[in-house]
């Protein structure tokens, strides 16, 4: 009995080694990217600016016979964006990335695609919708994204 008691006393004095609890990031993302082929919209968690980059394309024929679409006439625009708007964009994009929707119609890749990318500290999450006729009509989230982006950039 005495040996058992001593063993228990020595066990209780050992220090437990636990992994430290990681603090939740202040921002669930660093950068949000929405890419639509002819345009790319980005929002950084640490600024109050949303950026729209647009370009046209020119077909170029390689020696192998493959046609490449080269970007030309690149332009960049900036607009102010509030934190609540960025949080909304993040929320809508997160839903599109985590639970993808199926497009109701099919078009060729040449017509359009939509890529939603969320970059955080150590993780990049992305979902690409190929052969999309009209990305704005994919889901209620894409309709809200389009409405918000259109309010910032008149040409969108």
């Amino acid at each position: 009995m005495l040996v058992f008691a001593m063993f228990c006393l020595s066990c209780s004095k050992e220090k437990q080694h636990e992994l430290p609890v990681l603090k939740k990031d202040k921002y669930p993302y660093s950068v949000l990217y929405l890419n639509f082929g002819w345009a790319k919209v980005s929002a950084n968690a640490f600024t109050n600016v949303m950026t729209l980059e647009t370009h046209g394309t020119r077909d170029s024929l390689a020696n192998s016979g493959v046609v490449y679409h080269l970007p030309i006439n690149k332009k960049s625009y900036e607009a102010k964006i509030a934190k609540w708007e960025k949080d909304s964009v993040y929320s809508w994009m997160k839903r599109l990335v985590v639970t993808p929707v199926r497009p109701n119609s099919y078009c060729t890749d040449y017509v359009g695609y939509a890529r939603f990318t969320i970059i955080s500290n150590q993780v990049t999450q992305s979902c690409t919708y190929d052969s999309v006729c009209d990305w704005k009509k994919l889901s209620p989230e894409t309709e809200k994204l389009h409405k918000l982006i259109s309010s910032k950039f008149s040409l969108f």
Side-chain angles (χ1 to χ4, degrees):
M1 232 357 150
L2 184 58
V3 175
F4 179 73
M6 288 172 44
F7 178 75
C8 288
L9 288 175
S10 66
C11 287
S12 64
K13 291 181 182 178
E14 279 188 33
K15 189 173 184 177
Q16 295 288 333
H17 295 286
E18 294 181 10
L19 294 174
V21 177
L22 298 175
K23 293 181 181 177
K24 187 174 180 179
D25 288 336
K26 183 176 179 181
Y27 300 99
Y29 63 91
S30 300
V31 183
L32 304 171
Y33 289 111
L34 297 80
N35 193 325
F36 306 105
W38 64 273
K40 181 168 77 173
V41 178
S42 60
N44 187 312
F46 312 106
T47 67
N48 63 348
V49 175
M50 178 180 266
T51 304
L52 169 65
E53 297 172 7
T54 65
H55 62 80
T57 58
R58 177 178 55 88
D59 291 347
S60 177
L61 184 63
N63 290 338
S64 63
V66 177
V67 176
Y68 293 97
H69 308 288
L70 301 174
I72 59 171
N73 302 327
K74 292 182 180 182
K75 295 179 182 173
S76 183
Y77 308 90
E78 289 186 347
K80 298 269 187 205
I81 185 168
K83 182 181 179 333
W84 70 267
E85 291 173 313
K86 284 191 295 186
D87 291 345
S88 295
V89 170
Y90 167 74
S91 173
W92 300 327
M93 285 181 55
K94 184 72 171 178
R95 183 166 290 150
L96 288 164
V97 169
V98 173
T99 54
V101 297
R102 294 277 179 204
N104 291 333
S105 56
Y106 179 83
C107 294
T108 66
D109 284 342
Y110 190 78
V111 173
Y113 71 93
R115 180 177 301 126
F116 305 96
T117 305
I118 301 168
I119 300 175
S120 62
N121 285 351
Q122 297 171 302
V123 177
T124 298
Q125 295 177 303
S126 182
C127 187
T128 302
Y129 294 86
D130 291 318
S131 306
V132 175
C133 301
D134 188 359
W135 72 270
K136 301 175 290 265
K137 296 179 182 177
L138 275 174
S139 71
E141 289 80 18
T142 58
E143 290 175 12
K144 293 173 190 172
L145 282 166
H146 179 259
K147 185 176 180 182
L148 186 131
I149 295 168
S150 295
S151 73
K152 303 293 178 186
F153 304 103
S154 60
L155 63 104
F156 200 79

